[in-house]
Amino acid sequence: MRDFKSSTIYQIYTKSFQDTTHSGQGDLRGVISRLDYLKELGIDYIWLTPFFKSPQNDNGYDVADYLSVDPMFGTMEDVEELIGEAGRRDMGCMFDMVFNHTSTEHMWFKRAMEGDPEYMDYYIFRDGEPDAPPTNWQSKFGGSAWEYVPHLKKWYLHLFDVTQADLNWDNPRVRRELKEVIRFWKDKGVRGFRFDVVNLISKPEIFGDDSIGDGRGFYTDGPHVHEYLQELTRDTGIDGMVTVGEMSSTSLDNCIRYSRPEDRELSMCFNFHHLKVDYKDGDKWKLMQPDLRELKRLFMEWQEGMQEGGGWNAVFWCNHDQPRAVSRFGDDGKYWKESAKMLATAIHMFRGTPYVFQGEELGMTNAYYDDISQYRDVESINYYKILQDQGSTREEAIHVLQERSRDNGRTPMQWDGSELAGFSDVAPWIGIPRNHTYINVESEQQDEDSILSHYKRLIALRKEYPVIAEGEIEFVDRSHPQILAYRRFDGSSELMAFHNMAGEVIGLTEPFDRTGWRLLVSNYRDEADVKDGTDAADEADITDGGDALGTGNREQEGGSQDSRMITCLRPYESVVYMRDK
Ligand code: GLC
C-alpha cells in the first residue's frame, strides 16, 4: 500500500455517506457500494468515523464496546468485507479509536458505577461535595467537566459530553485494554488508525482550578502523553501503519514529537489552529470574518516548523466537526467553484498528507438550517441554549449555528440531484441542503471543469510528482495579506504556487515571470490548457479591472516579455507552475 506522503486520505462520516437499509442513516454496506467512486477519485486510505457499539449521544464518539459493530451500521461480516473490498482496490481502511473516553454505557463504566474499585480506577473519579466540583474545568460541549454521582459521593471527569467519561491512562490496565483493541482491528486487516483527541489522554498529577481558561492548560499535551503513545505504538506494532492523531489546542513542538519518525509515535497530526481564525476573541460561538493574515501566518508556522523539526502534518480544511470550508473561507455564491478549487489547491500542494472530507470534493456547502428542530448535534443544541442564556435572541443563536454548527459537515453525501440526493430512499436522519440539485457527484462527474474533476487532478499530481509529496516548502511574498504563495522543491524540480484567498483582484508584491515554467494546475482554465501547458486564451470570466491590471487576458498577449509576467490574481485564483531544475 502507498506510503503516507504521496497518499490522499478520504474521511467518511458513515452515518451520512450511503444508506442501504432504508433507515435514513448511512451504513457499512453503503460504504462498500461506493468504493469504486473513491478509487476513481484516487484515494489511498479511507478513514471511517466510529461505527462501534454506541448509544450515539455524540454520533459514535461515545463508544460502548470497541470490539463490536453497532447494528445501525451493519455487522462484523460487513466490516470484514469492507476491509477486503477496499484492499482489492488497493485502498487501506483506517479506523477511528476514541481512547480518551468511553461511553458511560461501556461495561467498564457500568462496573465503576457499581462501586467496583478496579473499574473505578479505569476512570477519573474525585471525592467531593455535591455542590463543589473538584475543579472549575469546562466541558468542551458546555457546562462543567465534572458530574456528581450521589451514591458514590464522587465526581467523574468528562471533558466532552456527560455520557463520555474520561479514561485513566495512568492505570496500566487501561493501557493494556486499549492495546488489545488495536490488536483486534489490526488482525482484521486494518491499515491505519485515527486517534481521537489523543493529546488529552494524560491528565496532570494535580488537578487545580484554571484561573485563565477552561482547564485545557492542565490536560492538553499532558505529562506522559508521548510516553503513552510510544508504548501503544511499540506494543501493538503499528509503527509501519498510517496513524494520525487528532490534537486539540496543541503546540508545534509537541506535534513535531508526535510525528517525527524517530520517536515512533504517529505518522502525522491534525491541529486546528488555522480553523480558529474566524473565532472572535478565540470564541467559537462569536462570529467574525476569517483573519486571512493570521491564517497565512499559521500555515507558514506549521508548514515550515514541522519541516524543520522533521514532523509531518495532516493537511485539511474540513471534517465532521467543522463547517464547510467553501462557505467559511471561500464564497459559496458567486465564486463557489473558483473558491472551492482554490482552497483545495492551496492545501493539496502543501507538504503534508491531504485529507478530503466526504462532499468537500464536490464543493458541498453549509446547510443553513433555520430552525433548531433541524439540528442534531449535542454541541449545537447545548449552545443554542447557552447563547440565549447569554442574551442572544433565537434568530441570533440560529445565525451562529448556521455558521458554526458541526451539523454543517454532517449532511448527507450528495450523490445525485434527486429528491433524497441518492443517499437514501427514506427521510434521512438530518436534512439535505437544497443545493444538492446541482452540487452532486453525478453532475460533477460529467463535467471536466467541476470541483470534483479538480480534486481528481490534484490527487493524481501528488502521486505523479515526488516534489509535491516530499519536496521542501518555502513561503514567498510572506507579508502579503491576501496572497498565499510558496515554493516546493527537491533535487530535480521546482514548483511555485500562488493562491488569492480574497474575492477580488489582488496584485502580487513582485510580479512572477513564467518564462521557463509550465502551468501545472489552475482554477481559471479548462483542463486541456493545463494538460499540455500551452498558453491558450483564458476564457474564464474576468471581473472588471482584471484586464486593466494585466491579469485577464495575459495569455493572449503572447510574445513580449511583459506578458510572461503575472502581476495579479483574479478573485480566488490559484495557479501552480513547475519547472525542472
Ligand atoms: C473529536 C471528534 C468529535 C467528538 C470529540 C469527542 O473531536 O472528532 O466528533 O465529539 O472528539 O470524542
Side-chain angles (χ1 to χ4, degrees):
M1 217 143 276
R2 190 170 277 279
D3 74 286
F4 65 81
K5 295 190 174 174
S6 60
S7 288
T8 300
I9 300 176
Y10 191 90
Q11 183 192 352
I12 293 184
Y13 196 66
T14 317
K15 192 172 179 178
S16 298
F17 195 58
Q18 178 69 64
D19 175 19
T20 61
T21 58
H22 325 288
S23 63
Q25 308 183 113
D27 47 65
L28 292 163
R29 301 213 67 81
V31 179
I32 298 173
S33 74
R34 297 295 188 176
L35 286 173
D36 286 334
Y37 165 74
L38 300 176
K39 182 68 197 169
E40 212 194 302
L41 183 56
I43 296 305
D44 303 286
Y45 292 90
I46 306 162
W47 149 30
L48 287 115
T49 52
F51 48 78
F52 314 107
K53 202 161 159 248
S54 159
Q56 300 289 327
N57 291 328
D58 186 22
N59 282 355
Y61 283 91
D62 45 330
V63 180
D65 179 0
Y66 294 104
L67 305 182
S68 65
V69 178
D70 197 291
M72 74 175 260
F73 291 117
T75 64
M76 191 59 83
E77 287 70 44
D78 295 335
V79 175
E80 288 160 0
E81 190 176 326
L82 170 61
I83 295 170
E85 286 298 320
R88 250 185 286 292
R89 292 166 178 81
D90 209 21
M91 293 190 288
C93 288
M94 295 167 69
F95 287 177
D96 204 328
M97 299 289 112
V98 190
F99 283 175
N100 175 67
H101 43 265
T102 73
S103 161
T104 50
E105 295 293 304
H106 197 290
M107 195 265 289
W108 302 336
F109 194 80
K110 287 187 178 167
R111 292 263 179 94
M113 287 302 255
E114 288 162 8
D116 181 336
E118 191 177 319
Y119 284 96
M120 286 178 73
D121 196 30
Y122 272 43
Y123 295 91
I124 298 169
F125 281 94
R126 288 290 181 274
D127 292 329
E129 297 301 317
D131 50 358
T135 68
N136 64 353
W137 300 356
Q138 294 294 296
S139 149
K140 306 221 180 228
F141 293 162
S144 170
W146 295 95
E147 181 71 5
Y148 189 66
V149 187
H151 70 275
L152 297 174
K153 296 198 170 51
K154 286 183 193 295
W155 297 82
Y156 71 84
L157 179 69
H158 63 90
L159 296 182
F160 293 89
D161 187 49
V162 58
T163 64
Q164 292 166 300
D166 280 56
L167 283 164
N168 173 20
W169 275 67
D170 293 332
N171 178 351
R173 288 197 53 156
V174 168
R175 305 204 298 276
R176 218 173 302 142
E177 298 261 21
L178 298 176
K179 286 179 216 165
E180 276 310 309
V181 175
I182 296 285
R183 291 189 192 105
F184 177 87
W185 292 112
K186 192 181 163 209
D187 288 348
K188 296 249 176 236
V190 165
R191 306 308 290 257
F193 295 97
R194 179 246 187 202
F195 293 98
D196 191 64
V197 290
V198 74
N199 67 327
L200 310 185
I201 56 173
S202 173
K203 307 300 192 277
E205 224 148 86
I206 295 166
F207 285 44
D209 274 343
D210 189 345
S211 53
I212 49 164
D214 59 6
R216 69 186 65 194
F218 281 79
Y219 53 74
T220 302
D221 301 315
H224 301 287
V225 64
H226 294 285
E227 175 191 327
Y228 292 158
L229 276 173
Q230 283 167 20
E231 180 188 308
L232 185 80
T233 298
R234 182 187 64 230
D235 293 357
T236 56
I238 57 169
D239 56 345
M241 292 191 167
V242 180
T243 54
V244 55
E246 184 200 26
M247 306 303 177
S248 166
S249 304
T250 189
S251 70
L252 176 60
D253 287 344
N254 275 294
C255 284
I256 290 171
R257 293 182 62 192
Y258 292 129
S259 64
R260 63 183 174 198
E262 58 268 36
D263 285 0
R264 301 188 162 214
E265 294 183 22
L266 300 165
S267 316
M268 62 188 115
C269 303
F270 288 116
N271 84 78
F272 296 89
H273 297 290
H274 65 295
L275 297 178
K276 296 180 181 170
V277 298
D278 53 359
Y279 292 7
K280 193 163 178 234
D281 308 322
D283 182 343
K284 169 168 175 175
W285 306 100
K286 284 195 199 149
L287 305 182
M288 72 171 198
Q289 285 303 308
D291 179 343
L292 297 181
R293 244 181 226 275
E294 178 62 3
L295 181 65
K296 181 170 161 176
R297 191 192 67 74
L298 285 161
F299 279 148
M300 295 196 294
E301 176 181 334
W302 281 82
Q303 283 286 305
E304 294 179 345
M306 288 291 262
Q307 169 169 280
E308 274 160 35
W312 195 255
N313 284 303
V315 295
F316 72 107
W317 289 112
C318 296
N319 68 25
H320 64 290
D321 295 327
Q322 299 292 330
R324 292 287 181 176
V326 66
S327 301
R328 186 175 179 185
F329 298 106
D331 172 350
D332 60 14
K334 185 171 177 200
Y335 292 113
W336 165 67
K337 200 187 261 190
E338 291 81 0
S339 62
K341 289 182 182 179
M342 180 278 291
L343 291 168
T345 316
I347 64 166
H348 280 251
M349 294 296 121
F350 270 167
R351 178 180 180 276
T353 301
Y355 283 68
V356 179
F357 176 60
Q358 65 181 53
E360 177 186 343
E361 76 278 21
L362 308 173
M364 275 177 63
T365 68
N366 280 350
Y368 300 113
Y369 299 139
D370 51 18
D371 193 280
I372 191 63
S373 64
Q374 294 168 287
Y375 289 86
R376 299 287 176 268
D377 173 31
V378 52
E379 183 195 52
S380 303
I381 293 166
N382 287 351
Y383 270 93
Y384 179 65
K385 188 170 174 302
I386 293 171
L387 288 168
Q388 290 181 72
D389 291 347
Q390 290 170 350
S392 297
T393 63
R394 259 166 218 242
E395 290 67 33
E396 284 162 352
I398 286 291
H399 178 58
V400 173
L401 293 191
Q402 287 180 334
E403 300 293 331
R404 294 292 147 87
S405 169
R406 304 195 296 178
D407 283 334
N408 285 309
R410 300 177 177 188
T411 61
M413 179 68 175
Q414 296 173 188
W415 295 104
D416 62 38
S418 67
E419 197 193 336
L420 299 173
F423 165 69
S424 178
D425 52 11
V426 301
W429 70 280
I430 190 168
I432 300 174
R434 276 187 287 272
N435 59 26
H436 75 277
T437 49
Y438 65 93
I439 304 180
N440 64 66
V441 171
E442 194 178 67
S443 63
E444 295 196 32
Q445 266 173 339
Q446 291 156 16
D447 175 5
E448 284 251 303
D449 186 46
S450 65
I451 296 169
L452 177 62
S453 300
H454 191 78
Y455 268 86
K456 262 188 217 169
R457 219 168 292 143
L458 294 173
I459 293 168
L461 286 173
R462 174 166 292 262
K463 296 189 170 62
E464 192 176 342
Y465 297 105
V467 66
I468 298 174
E470 307 222 29
E472 287 189 45
I473 190 162
E474 178 186 75
F475 286 80
V476 298
D477 214 346
R478 299 175 75 94
S479 52
H480 197 299
Q482 293 105 345
I483 304 279
L484 179 72
Y486 50 86
R487 187 167 90 90
R488 302 289 315 275
F489 55 99
D490 61 16
S492 50
S493 49
E494 188 176 6
L495 183 146
M496 284 295 308
F498 298 91
H499 313 285
N500 179 1
M501 299 188 290
E504 55 195 318
V505 176
I506 302 284
L508 303 183
T509 312
E510 296 231 336
F512 173 66
D513 183 351
R514 292 175 295 151
T515 310
W517 295 81
R518 77 198 146 90
L519 181 68
L520 197 63
V521 65
S522 107
N523 62 346
Y524 262 82
R525 287 158 218 266
D526 63 30
E527 198 189 21
D529 296 338
V530 173
K531 256 197 216 133
D532 56 21
T534 56
D535 288 344
D538 189 332
E539 262 140 37
D541 49 87
I542 297 150
T543 54
D544 291 345
D547 288 346
L549 287 160
T551 54
N553 287 340
R554 62 177 176 239
E555 306 289 357
Q556 288 175 332
E557 288 161 23
S560 85
Q561 183 63 21
D562 275 350
S563 73
R564 305 297 305 168
M565 294 294 196
I566 296 181
T567 55
C568 43
L569 298 178
R570 287 165 285 180
Y572 299 111
E573 187 170 20
S574 205
V575 287
V576 181
Y577 285 89
M578 188 163 186
R579 71 177 175 195
D580 297 329
K581 271 188 169 169

